[in-house]
């Protein structure tokens, strides 16, 4: 059965200015575009659906974490993110109230950010013990790169002062050797929140679907998970069988030192593994990104516990990173690496260059994630290697002033997440919101990459704005390509799936301020309305 959809359609397939009136869909795929009259005569028996508004390809989140987000953004976790609670006193009061109401059951809170919630206390084990006593309390940093816990939470997670540090991560200790209540980097954080993940298991089916539906309502039709938990595979398979998966999922296995690459699975168009993820450094907000330049010495960096002239270190040496990545690359997987600092980026490019040469790879599309302090020269080097970049431009929205005034100064902080430099170097760059770290607002990403202006109107002193065509591509065609899915999604063109959204304004011509508040009226996946 063919359906002809009509509206003001921006296919974004070739020239972003192209405007068509109608497109025909059969078996979930677009089979033709043209005027309403042309398609009516070409498909006389088709069903007709008039779409109320502007129509564009469904948006693609190239770097998300829907699996963990469905737990961290659920009622099982106390929401203390700076987008929810802007000030320190509110955060502390919320934690106290949560502990008081918990009846001794473990409390998990997510979203601590001392740089935005100014005046937060040092969240060491003494403070947390005082606050929560025998109630296990874990407070996850908004970046996800650290977590703070009390003694009861350590006990509940089976962590003590003798627990060895997981590879690429660590538990902090005081001079006596006792735990200081801080878990740094993914593997340590995961260990301390294990009881939460355990208790969330029974609720996951509803939580996961609810989260995916929320993404669909925001216009996202494909989401990538950069820290996928394969325990969720049976749940997704069940949804697939029922035809109840509201967005396409692309996922990345988390690398483990000494780990082995999974075999390639079915090439399912709704759900499949794309690659393997590694973390080469940490978060700018906790002081552990690997840069060639020091953090500024400011009140804010002192409050983070950073010494003057502090420089963060990478999670792995280049040789360690190479040995982790090599196994997965040899298995034929796309590699993806979290990198913020320019030194981490250089080291990761060194690793990629060696692997690409060793395996004579030509279409690997190895990825760099976030790219906060990536320089113009590094964008050029990456492009020449066929390495692709996904930028966390929304950092500017929330932390723009922090980057310049508190952490890195106008030269390094001002040019943060320089999407314009990426496009100038020839990249098919993408933008992302990184799961729960900032709200999933792809239109805001596009706008901020164009204006480089924070939520309070501060204009970043460095970096290059992108054009609207580049911004739209970053969340559509480029993202499809980055996820090896350009033969399926990313534009409205014959042969591609009819994944599209109906919005209330023209995404090509509205100004950046108006783009941010674009309203998604409807979302379609393979021609079927899902939101
Ligand atoms: Zn991420």
């Amino acid at each position: 059965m063919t359906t002809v959809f009509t509206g003001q359609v921006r296919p974004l397939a070739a020239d972003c200015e192209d405007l068509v009136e109608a497109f025909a869909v059969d078996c979930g795929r677009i089979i033709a575009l043209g005027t309403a009259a042309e398609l009516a005569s070409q498909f006389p028996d088709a069903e007709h659906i008039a779409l109320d508004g502007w129509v564009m390809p469904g948006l693609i989140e190239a770097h998300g974490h829907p699996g963990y987000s469905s737990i961290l953004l659920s009622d099982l976790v106390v929401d203390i993110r700076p987008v929810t609670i802007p000030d320190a006193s509110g955060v502390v009061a919320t934690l106290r109230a949560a502990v008081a109401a918990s009846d001794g059951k473990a409390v998990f809170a997510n979203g601590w950010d001392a740089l935005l919630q100014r005046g937060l206390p040092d969240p060491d084990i003494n403070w947390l013990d005082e606050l929560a006593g025998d109630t296990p309390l874990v407070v996850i940093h908004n970046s996800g790169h650290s977590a703070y816990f009390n003694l009861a939470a350590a006990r509940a997670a089976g962590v003590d002062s003798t627990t060895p540090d997981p590879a690429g991560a660590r538990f902090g200790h005081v001079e006596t050797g006792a735990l200081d209540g801080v878990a740094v980097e993914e593997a340590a954080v995961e260990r301390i929140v294990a009881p939460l993940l355990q208790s969330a298991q029974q609720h996951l089916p509803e939580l996961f679907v609810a989260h995916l539906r929320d993404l669909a309502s925001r216009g996202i039709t494909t989401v990538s998970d950069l820290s996928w938990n394969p325990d969720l595979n049976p749940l997704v398979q069940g949804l697939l069988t029922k035809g109840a998966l509201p967005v396409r999922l692309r996922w990345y296995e988390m690398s483990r030192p000494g780990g082995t690459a999974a075999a390639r699975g079915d090439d399912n168009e709704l759900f499949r593994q794309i690659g393997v993820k590694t973390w080469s450094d940490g978060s700018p907000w906790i002081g552990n990104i690997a840069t060639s330049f020091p953090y500024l010495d400011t009140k804010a960096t002192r409050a983070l516990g950073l010494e003057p002239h502090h420089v963060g270190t990478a999670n792995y040496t280049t040789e360690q990173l190479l040995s982790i990545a090599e196994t997965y690359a040899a298995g034929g997987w796309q590699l993806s690496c979290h990198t913020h600092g320019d030194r981490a980026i250089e080291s990761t490019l060194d690793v990629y260059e060696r692997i690409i040469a060793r395996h004579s790879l030509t279409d690997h599309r190895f990825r760099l994630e976030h790219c906060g302090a990536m320089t113009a020269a590094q964008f050029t080097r990456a492009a020449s290697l066929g390495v692709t970049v996904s930028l966390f431009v929304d950092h500017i929205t929330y932390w723009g002033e922090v980057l310049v005034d508190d952490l890195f100064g106008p030269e390094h902080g001002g040019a943060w997440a320089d999407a314009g430099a990426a496009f100038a170097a020839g990249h098919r760059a993408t933008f992302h919101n990184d799961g729960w770290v900032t709200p999933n607002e792809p239109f805001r990403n596009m706008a901020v990459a164009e204006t480089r202006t924070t939520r309070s109107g501060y204009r970043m002193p460095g970096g290059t704005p992108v054009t609207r065509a580049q911004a739209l591509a970053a969340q559509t065609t480029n993202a499809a390509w980055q996820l090896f899915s350009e033969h399926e999604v990313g534009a409205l063109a014959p042969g591609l799936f009819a994944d599209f959204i109906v919005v209330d304004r023209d995404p090509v011509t509205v100004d950046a301020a108006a783009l941010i508040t674009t309203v998604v009226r409807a979302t379609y996946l393979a021609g079927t309305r899902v939101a």
Side-chain angles (χ1 to χ4, degrees):
M1 177 68 190
T2 302
T3 307
V4 171
F5 292 92
T6 52
Q8 293 157 291
V9 183
R10 294 290 194 185
L12 303 184
D15 184 344
C16 107
E17 306 275 335
D18 287 349
L19 180 65
V20 302
E21 207 176 10
F23 55 99
V25 175
D26 195 80
C27 294
R29 290 192 191 251
I30 295 167
I31 53 171
L33 292 98
T35 66
E38 280 164 1
L39 297 191
S41 73
Q42 206 178 335
F43 306 103
D45 301 328
E47 181 192 1
H48 283 259
I49 296 180
L51 300 167
D52 175 24
W54 293 83
V55 183
M56 63 177 286
L59 301 168
I60 301 175
E61 168 69 336
H63 180 131
H65 297 274
Y68 284 121
S69 295
S70 64
I71 298 171
L72 287 179
L73 298 176
S74 76
D75 291 346
L76 301 176
V77 174
V78 181
D79 184 1
I80 57 165
R81 291 173 301 152
V83 290
T84 314
I85 306 178
D87 60 284
S89 58
V91 170
V92 175
T94 302
L95 289 176
R96 284 194 193 285
V99 169
S102 73
D103 253 347
K105 283 206 210 83
V107 172
F108 293 87
N110 175 55
W112 182 277
D113 188 336
L115 288 166
L116 294 183
Q117 297 154 331
R118 288 298 165 98
L120 282 173
D122 184 14
D124 66 7
I125 202 160
N126 297 326
W127 184 75
L128 291 162
D129 275 339
E130 212 175 275
L131 196 153
D134 292 333
T135 300
L137 173 62
V138 177
V139 177
I140 304 165
H141 189 274
N142 191 61
S143 66
H145 282 265
S146 62
Y148 314 109
F149 55 88
N150 68 349
L151 206 52
R155 255 187 238 119
V159 170
D160 63 29
S161 59
T162 65
T163 302
D165 287 341
R170 65 185 170 83
F171 295 105
H173 297 266
V174 295
E175 266 168 26
T176 60
L179 289 168
D180 72 358
V182 182
V184 182
E185 288 303 292
E186 195 273 325
V189 173
E190 196 179 89
R191 183 82 196 267
I192 211 74
V193 302
L196 166 67
L197 304 181
Q198 192 64 34
S199 67
Q201 280 301 324
Q202 54 175 315
H203 307 288
L204 258 178
E206 312 92 78
L207 295 180
F208 188 60
V209 171
H211 180 65
L212 296 186
R213 287 197 183 289
D214 177 61
L215 294 179
S217 74
R218 294 163 181 267
I220 293 169
T221 49
T222 298
V223 62
S224 174
D225 192 309
L226 274 286
S227 58
W228 182 248
N229 173 5
D231 291 350
L232 290 172
N233 287 3
L235 168 60
V236 177
Q237 292 298 346
L239 293 170
L240 283 174
T241 308
K242 284 192 286 181
L245 196 66
V247 300
R248 294 180 200 282
L249 279 165
R250 301 288 182 263
W251 60 275
Y252 291 73
E253 175 184 350
M254 288 189 269
S255 67
R256 305 280 179 205
T260 48
R264 285 206 170 269
D266 294 342
D267 201 23
N268 188 296
E269 64 222 13
L270 281 165
F271 174 63
R272 69 167 173 266
Q273 182 175 2
I274 301 298
V276 178
K277 169 86 178 293
T278 302
W279 285 258
S280 84
D281 65 353
S283 164
W285 323 131
I286 61 171
N288 67 339
I289 67 168
T291 48
S292 63
F293 48 88
Y295 277 76
L296 300 178
D297 181 17
T298 61
K299 220 171 132 188
T301 52
R302 291 288 176 105
L304 292 181
L306 307 183
E307 297 294 325
H309 312 296
H310 171 81
V311 178
T313 47
N315 295 339
Y316 304 104
T317 64
T318 303
E319 290 306 319
Q320 285 171 330
L321 198 57
L322 180 65
S323 83
I324 296 168
E326 169 61 30
T327 322
Y328 298 104
W333 292 109
Q334 181 196 35
L335 302 178
S336 153
C337 192
H338 170 111
T339 51
H340 260 309
D342 58 342
R343 273 199 305 123
I345 288 163
E346 207 62 38
S347 165
T348 307
L349 287 174
D350 290 344
V351 168
Y352 282 173
E353 184 164 22
R354 284 158 76 176
I355 290 175
I356 292 162
R358 188 177 295 168
H359 297 279
S360 306
L361 300 175
T362 52
D363 191 21
H364 48 82
R365 308 183 200 180
F366 288 171
R367 298 175 50 156
L368 296 177
E369 310 301 322
H370 312 318
C371 310
M374 189 160 178
T375 65
Q378 290 178 325
F379 282 118
T380 302
R381 182 182 174 206
S384 73
L385 291 169
V387 169
T388 176
V389 293
S390 190
L391 290 103
F392 201 161
V393 288
D394 208 22
H395 270 177
I396 294 168
T397 307
Y398 297 97
W399 293 274
E401 292 92 336
V402 166
L403 284 161
V404 176
D405 299 335
D406 298 315
L407 300 185
F408 302 121
E411 184 193 346
H412 302 294
W416 197 258
D418 193 351
F423 282 102
H427 281 285
R428 295 191 228 190
T430 65
F431 306 149
H432 59 254
N433 289 106
D434 202 13
W436 65 88
V437 179
T438 60
N440 281 280
E441 295 177 330
F443 288 108
R444 181 189 292 280
N445 289 345
M446 297 179 209
V448 74
E450 281 179 43
T451 64
R452 297 192 60 80
T453 298
T454 70
R455 58 181 165 166
S456 55
Y458 169 73
R459 170 89 187 218
M460 299 295 274
T464 317
V466 304
T467 65
R468 179 61 52 84
Q470 290 167 337
L472 287 165
Q475 300 266 180
T476 56
T477 46
N478 290 2
W481 174 84
Q482 207 165 60
L483 297 172
F484 283 92
S485 300
E486 72 275 20
H487 58 297
E488 297 164 321
V489 295
L492 302 180
L496 300 189
F497 285 110
D499 290 5
F500 61 90
I501 57 176
V502 185
V503 294
D504 68 338
R505 61 201 76 184
D506 180 3
V508 175
T509 58
V510 293
D511 66 22
L515 187 67
I516 295 173
T517 52
T518 299
V519 175
V520 177
R521 289 180 177 163
T523 303
Y524 288 76
L525 192 74
T528 299
R529 188 164 179 182
V530 290

